[in-house]
Amino acid sequence: MCDQISDAVLDAALAGDPRSRVACESMAKGEDVYVIGEITTSSELDIQKLVRQTIREIGYSDPAGGFTADGCRITVNLTRQSSDIAQGVDTGGAGDQGLMFGYACDETEELMPFPIMAAHKLCGRLAEVRRKGILDFLRPDGKSQVTVEYEGLKPVRVDSVVVSSQHSADVSNETLREGITECVIRPVIPKSLMDDKTKFHINPTGRFVTGGPVGDSGLTGRKIIVDTYGGSAPHGGGAFSGKDPTKVDRSACYMARYVAKNLVAAGLARRAQVQLAYAIGVVEPVSVMVETFGTGAMDDRKLTEVVRGHFDLTPQGIIKALNLRRPCYRKTAAYGHFGRTDPDFTWEKSDQAEGLRREAGEK
């Protein structure tokens, strides 16, 4: 929820001013929501309205759940971007220092690790059956996890599936578990990957009536590993949500995924990890590295040369290549930033595969 609030603010700023500088973070606990950070924009923003609208669209509208869009208290503390940071960004330099990673593999059609794709699809299905009233006892808070057995690089069996969902107080555990098993898990997890030993852990504590900010605190960027690859690859140091594309924490991770996906789509590797590193205010990356874990069609150093020659990895080059100065970010804040088919996810295109194949052949 906090990720979506921060990205809703970002989208609203970019909608009116594509060159907005946004570093917005949100926190929620009990009935209180805090929106803090730095924003430099010519857009007129009604933060209170944006926050309530986002919370309402997520599904927090029933007072029985203890937290609602209309009933929460919202505190806003947003100032302009520091001039010390701005002077480096204004010249095209990176908005911060740090390491960023991108990853792709050939184990799913999305070129993503199977476990995280399955977990995201479970969460998506959980929200779908709630919104459509298929399981009308579900409430907005929920999460999932999938444990998978591999043979080499191939997923061959799902060992366990964890789904936890907030629910109404009057539903029985038996009804809840049966509903989630039949309406959420089985439609998502391929039958061929499950057997009679596959374990389903559904609300393993027993009950999950109290959820959302009443049950636990929330914070932008608190669960960053689910934004990327579920632990199959490094994440880097920064969260994504609430940051405009001059922040390489976000944009360079998107670019690294774009590069890695095109390497795999080109058949130049079965697994590809791309590491980028930047210094604040410096235009060119201070490090570019490709790792293929022994699956590459050529030496990793040569692939790195191909990548350096083919892609503009400067902050402005990334923004231009992926068309990042537009309001497309709130939808990234749920169900993962990668492996998505929505055309707004420009970093998921494989349109550079042929060019990479050609350049690799020339090497």
Side-chain angles (χ1 to χ4, degrees):
M1 185 178 75
C2 290
D3 285 352
Q4 290 192 60
I5 290 170
S6 296
D7 273 338
V9 172
L10 170 61
D11 279 354
L14 291 173
D17 178 5
R19 294 194 171 274
S20 296
R21 303 276 176 80
V22 180
C24 177
E25 297 182 344
S26 305
M27 181 173 66
K29 177 57 183 155
E31 297 181 356
D32 291 291
V33 177
Y34 301 89
V35 181
I36 62 174
E38 300 175 335
I39 296 183
T40 302
T41 184
S42 62
S43 297
E44 294 185 8
L45 304 178
D46 186 337
I47 303 296
Q48 294 268 344
K49 182 178 179 180
L50 277 170
V51 173
R52 294 191 195 281
Q53 179 180 340
T54 302
I55 294 170
R56 188 177 299 109
E57 289 173 357
I58 292 171
Y60 288 100
S61 56
D62 184 358
F67 176 84
T68 66
D70 294 324
C72 65
R73 294 182 293 267
I74 300 170
T75 302
V76 179
N77 186 356
L78 295 169
T79 60
R80 291 178 61 84
Q81 183 181 58
S82 162
S83 59
D84 292 344
I85 296 174
Q87 66 182 351
V89 179
D90 290 343
T91 58
D96 204 349
Q97 69 177 51
L99 298 174
M100 295 80 198
F101 292 91
Y103 180 77
C105 58
D106 64 0
E107 61 192 69
T108 64
E109 63 181 15
E110 300 91 353
L111 302 186
M112 284 284 287
F114 174 76
I116 190 65
M117 286 305 300
H120 284 316
K121 288 176 180 179
L122 286 169
C123 286
R125 178 62 180 169
L126 197 62
E128 181 183 23
V129 298
R130 170 176 59 84
R131 289 182 171 131
K132 289 183 176 179
I134 297 171
L135 299 178
D136 60 4
F137 48 79
L138 296 184
R139 298 294 179 262
D141 202 351
K143 54 188 176 181
S144 69
Q145 180 174 289
V146 182
T147 303
V148 180
E149 292 182 6
Y150 282 73
E151 289 183 0
L153 300 179
K154 182 180 179 181
V156 296
R157 177 179 175 271
V158 171
D159 180 75
S160 62
V161 179
V162 182
V163 177
S164 294
S165 178
Q166 185 186 11
H167 56 83
S168 62
D170 56 356
V171 66
S172 69
N173 288 352
E174 181 181 357
T175 298
L176 174 82
R177 288 171 178 160
E178 180 181 357
I180 290 178
T181 297
E182 298 305 321
C183 297
V184 177
I185 297 176
R186 295 198 185 280
V188 169
I189 305 297
K191 187 177 180 181
S192 61
L193 294 180
M194 294 192 292
D195 55 30
D196 57 3
K197 294 183 179 179
T198 299
K199 299 176 285 294
F200 296 166
H201 299 289
I202 300 170
N203 283 17
T205 62
R207 299 289 281 171
F208 188 178
V209 174
T210 302
V214 175
D216 196 2
S217 60
L219 183 68
T220 300
R222 187 177 180 187
K223 300 288 187 180
I224 59 176
I225 205 66
V226 304
D227 289 335
T228 56
Y229 311 103
S232 294
H235 181 283
F240 299 159
S241 290
K243 296 176 182 176
D244 76 82
T246 67
K247 279 74 171 173
V248 285
D249 278 346
R250 180 171 223 158
S251 56
C253 278
Y254 288 1
M255 191 63 173
R257 162 64 178 172
Y258 182 55
V259 174
K261 185 172 184 178
N262 276 276
L263 286 171
V264 174
L268 296 175
R270 293 191 62 192
R271 296 171 63 202
Q273 177 179 292
V274 176
Q275 181 224 64
L276 305 174
Y278 294 83
I280 188 168
V282 178
V283 174
E284 293 289 341
V286 297
S287 174
V288 179
M289 185 172 66
V290 176
E291 168 67 63
T292 63
F293 310 96
T295 71
M298 59 196 302
D299 182 80
D300 287 347
R301 284 177 292 183
K302 290 185 177 180
L303 275 181
T304 300
E305 291 176 12
V306 170
V307 166
R308 277 188 174 273
H310 190 82
F311 295 97
D312 183 347
L313 300 174
T314 65
Q316 293 304 314
I318 292 170
I319 290 170
K320 181 179 179 181
L322 300 181
N323 187 22
L324 296 179
R325 291 192 187 277
R326 57 196 166 87
C328 63
Y329 296 103
R330 184 188 154 188
K331 65 178 73 175
T332 69
Y335 319 123
H337 294 245
F338 307 126
R340 308 281 288 276
T341 58
D342 188 310
D344 274 340
F345 289 62
T346 51
W347 49 93
E348 288 299 308
K349 294 180 180 179
S350 300
D351 56 349
Q352 299 301 311
E354 181 56 40
L356 285 170
R357 269 194 299 269
R358 187 166 53 249
E359 291 192 31
E362 293 172 358
K363 287 285 185 182

